[in-house]
Amino acid sequence: MRISGFWRWRNVLVPPNAFVVHTRRGRAEPLHIGLGVSFRFNPSTDSFLVVPGATQTILINAYCICRELQGVLVQGYVQWIIQDFAVAYRKLDFGDSEDPMRLVNLQLREQAEAAIKDKVATMGVRDVLSDKQPIIEELTARLRAVAEGEGNSEQGLGLRIVTVQIKEAVVSSSRLWENLQKPYRSEQAQIARLAELEAEEAVAQREMAANRVKETQR
């Protein structure tokens, strides 16, 4: 965003990938609102707000308790974008001059962490580690209900959830993690040992057959 001119004769130049709302004293409705809309600006009577229109990414680190009362760290991310700025600027706080999206990202992150914790509390630790799709579905439904509303844009926040992903889930207890891995490690060790025994038996049979041939020839 750039502001040109001086005193009451100023122009606000908005980049094409940013939303803007321009209001004037004494008017209930904005003079200009939209994506990449530039306008004339009088600092004595006007006010405006510029918000980035690019996709936002929220990193999530949710410390959860599963059904077996074991600690699990679930890491993921959520991407969202402004869908209806006319609704969003009325219901959300974009007033931070340095980072207008900071408070919105903080609110959505808290909603996402709460949804993940509620879902993980009903799942076993093996289910959390092996199948993350139920967590993704619950998180997506919860965030869309808040951000997009239930079929009515006026009930939502004017946002759209682009994607929800769970990167990984980590068991907080190192001893529990080792115990969960022991059955698989033991099974793999057994398979490897049986393969070695079969190979040794096959080699021994070939050696015995070769020795019999040599004895017969002798």
Side-chain angles (χ1 to χ4, degrees), residues 67-96:
R67 189 172 54 198
E68 293 90 352
L69 301 181
Q70 298 296 326
V72 180
L73 172 61
V74 179
Q75 297 179 335
Y77 66 90
V78 175
Q79 291 182 329
W80 63 275
I81 196 171
I82 296 177
Q83 184 176 22
D84 190 351
F85 187 64
V87 176
Y89 91 92
R90 297 176 186 270
K91 296 186 176 182
L92 298 173
D93 186 1
F94 299 105
D96 193 334

Side-chain angles (χ1 to χ4, degrees), residues 130-142:
S130 61
D131 187 10
K132 302 177 181 61
Q133 190 61 34
I135 303 176
I136 295 175
E137 293 176 355
E138 177 69 19
L139 180 57
T140 303
R142 189 83 65 89

Side-chain angles (χ1 to χ4, degrees), residues 2 4 8 23-24 26 36 58 67 75 79 85 88 91 106 108 110-111 125 129 144 157 159 162 169 176 180 193:
R2 292 186 296 111
S4 61
R8 293 184 300 176
T23 59
R24 179 165 294 171
I58 306 172
R67 189 172 54 198
Q75 297 179 335
Q79 291 182 329
F85 187 64
K91 296 186 176 182
L106 180 61
L108 291 179
E110 292 178 351
Q111 289 280 348
V125 62
L129 297 177
R144 285 182 174 171
L157 301 177
L159 309 178
V162 178
L176 176 61
L180 290 173
R193 182 55 182 163

Side-chain angles (χ1 to χ4, degrees), residues 59-208:
L59 299 179
I60 302 170
N61 293 307
Y63 295 90
C64 310
I65 302 297
C66 63
R67 189 172 54 198
E68 293 90 352
L69 301 181
Q70 298 296 326
V72 180
L73 172 61
V74 179
Q75 297 179 335
Y77 66 90
V78 175
Q79 291 182 329
W80 63 275
I81 196 171
I82 296 177
Q83 184 176 22
D84 190 351
F85 187 64
V87 176
Y89 91 92
R90 297 176 186 270
K91 296 186 176 182
L92 298 173
D93 186 1
F94 299 105
D96 193 334
S97 59
E98 296 182 358
D99 186 5
M101 298 299 194
R102 184 180 65 85
L103 293 177
V104 180
N105 285 330
L106 180 61
Q107 293 172 355
L108 291 179
R109 182 182 295 111
E110 292 178 351
Q111 289 280 348
E113 291 180 356
I116 293 175
K117 291 178 180 180
D118 291 344
K119 185 61 179 179
V120 172
T122 63
M123 301 173 63
V125 62
R126 293 182 180 273
D127 298 333
V128 175
L129 297 177
S130 61
D131 187 10
K132 302 177 181 61
Q133 190 61 34
I135 303 176
I136 295 175
E137 293 176 355
E138 177 69 19
L139 180 57
T140 303
R142 189 83 65 89
L143 290 180
R144 285 182 174 171
V146 174
E148 302 176 10
E150 298 292 340
N152 186 355
S153 61
E154 292 299 330
Q155 296 181 1
L157 301 177
L159 309 178
R160 181 169 65 88
I161 303 300
V162 178
T163 182
V164 175
Q165 292 294 333
I166 299 298
K167 295 190 295 184
E168 60 180 347
V170 181
V171 179
S172 300
S173 174
S174 58
R175 180 177 298 180
L176 176 61
W177 177 245
E178 292 177 358
N179 293 335
L180 290 173
Q181 290 179 320
K182 280 182 180 179
Y184 177 76
R185 290 178 178 177
S186 300
E187 181 181 357
Q188 294 301 314
Q190 180 181 1
I191 294 174
R193 182 55 182 163
L194 291 175
E196 291 178 357
L197 292 176
E198 291 178 359
E200 292 176 358
E201 183 179 359
V203 171
Q205 291 179 357
R206 292 290 299 273
E207 290 178 348
M208 292 175 59

